[in-house]
């Protein structure tokens, strides 16, 4: 087996530094009224800073590796965006420990615009769960390495998720074939601990998690799935790939992401790190039809619809209920309902 501990170390450092930048922005800029004012500047600053930091640290250690990130620096280059640009440069400099210049920061962000093709590339969601970030709730920095169309390494930084130590902030790591771990996000002296999915054999006892945002996952349909399975517990609604982390460490037994529109295609950076985390913790991840997630098709999961992740033993039972619920409602027509 290839030794991926070197790249994993780099990824852990990069996600930690990016998570610190995001936390600083959330603490300083996100207010209770931020969402009502439709002010997206906090998430914009944090998104760009996070991508710049991860790309800068990967470039320094693994200069040949392409990075497929969600953001492009195009908007940030416009003259009208000078205040935003300055705020990004400040956050990046703070984390890198030196005064970075604006052009270097823009170039790092653009390093994250590689095509999703070739034998080896990274994929990055600098802030997954932007709505959660703006609500002052959950979000994640998600970084994964894809080799020959397979996710082989995944790291998730979850700044607001309770950690195993009782503190807030959890850092998750997974290597293909080598298990999954969690450790405190802010303290790099604490050793990682293995995590594993639960071994529930009856879905009726399960707690399932899903998106807070009803546009991202059909909450009416998930309620019907829960009913078919005999689940009485309330859904655990949480933004971002924190849902995969919840299943991987057995805070929940099921993650349902049920399509709200027939034409939506899931993005690789929204699922690469999280899906490997669940699989490496012993669980199973498929789409709503039971197909494995296919990372060979570029920037999107073109061949998949939605996501179902479980600890494994109840997976077929859950898929069966999902199929029945979808059949009852009729498949969503192209272009949405
Ligand atoms: P979550 O926090 O799990 O609700 O998911 C956040 C992610 O949902 C974002 O990163 C978006 O890429 C993605 N997203 C945006 N629109 C949709 C949609 N219509 N269906 C599913 N996911 C979406
Ligand atoms: Mg995302």
């Amino acid at each position: 087996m290839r030794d991926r501990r070197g790249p994993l170390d780099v990824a852990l450092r990069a996600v930690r530094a990016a998570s610190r930048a995001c936390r600083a922005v959330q603490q300083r800029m996100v207010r209770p009224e931020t969402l009502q004012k439709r002010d997206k500047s906090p998430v914009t600053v944090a998104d760009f800073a996070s991508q710049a930091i991860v790309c800068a640290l990967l470039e320094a250690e693994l200069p040949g590796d392409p990075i497929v990130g969600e953001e492009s620096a195009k908007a940030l280059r416009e003259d009208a965006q000078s205040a935003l640009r300055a705020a990004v440069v400040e956050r990046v400099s703070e984390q890198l420990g030196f005064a970075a210049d604006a052009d270097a920061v823009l170039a790092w962000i653009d390093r994250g615009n590689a095509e999703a093709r070739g034998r080896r590339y990274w994929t990055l969601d600098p802030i997954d769960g932007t709505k959660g970030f703006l609500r002052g709730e959950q979000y994640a920095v998600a970084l994964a390495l894809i080799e020959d169309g397979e996710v082989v390494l995944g790291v998730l930084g979850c700044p607001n998720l309770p950690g195993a130590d009782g503190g807030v902030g959890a850092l998750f790591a997974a290597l293909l074939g080598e298990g999954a771990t969690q450790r405190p996000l802010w303290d790099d002296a604490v050793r990682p601990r293995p995590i594993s999915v639960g071994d529930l054999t009856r879905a009726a006892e399960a707690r399932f998690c899903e998106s807070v945002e009803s546009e991202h996952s059909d909450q009416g349909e998930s309620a019907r799935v829960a009913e078919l399975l005999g689940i009485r517990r309330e859904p655990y609604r949480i933004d971002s790939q924190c849902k995969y982390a919840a299943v991987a460490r057995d805070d929940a037994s099921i993650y349902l992401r049920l399509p709200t529109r027939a034409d939506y295609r899931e993005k690789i950076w929204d699922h690469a790190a999280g899906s490997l985390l669940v699989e490496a913790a012993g669980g199973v991840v498929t789409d709503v039809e039971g197909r494995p997630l296919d990372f060979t098709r570029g920037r999107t999961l073109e061949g998949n619809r939605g996501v179902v992740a479980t600890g494994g033993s109840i997976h077929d039972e859950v898929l069966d209920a999902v199929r029945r619920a979808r059949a009852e409602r009729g498949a969503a027509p192209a272009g949405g309902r």
Side-chain angles (χ1 to χ4, degrees), residues 152-167:
V152 297
L153 179 169
V155 172
L156 272 187
C158 305
N160 290 336
L161 201 65
D165 59 340

Side-chain angles (χ1 to χ4, degrees), residues 132-145:
F133 181 87
L134 287 171
R135 274 189 250 103
E137 297 173 2
Q138 298 297 334
Y139 64 97
V141 177
L143 179 64
L145 179 62

Side-chain angles (χ1 to χ4, degrees), residues 195-207:
I195 52 171
S196 52
V197 296
D199 56 2
L200 212 63
T201 49
R202 279 171 28 86
E205 288 151 25
R207 180 190 196 200

Side-chain angles (χ1 to χ4, degrees), residues 125 128-129 211 215-216 239-240 243 257 260 264 266 270:
D125 195 339
D128 182 33
S211 289
E215 303 95 83
H216 297 171
D239 300 280
S240 81
K243 288 183 278 297
R257 190 177 195 85
T260 56
Y264 185 78
E266 301 289 343
D270 283 331

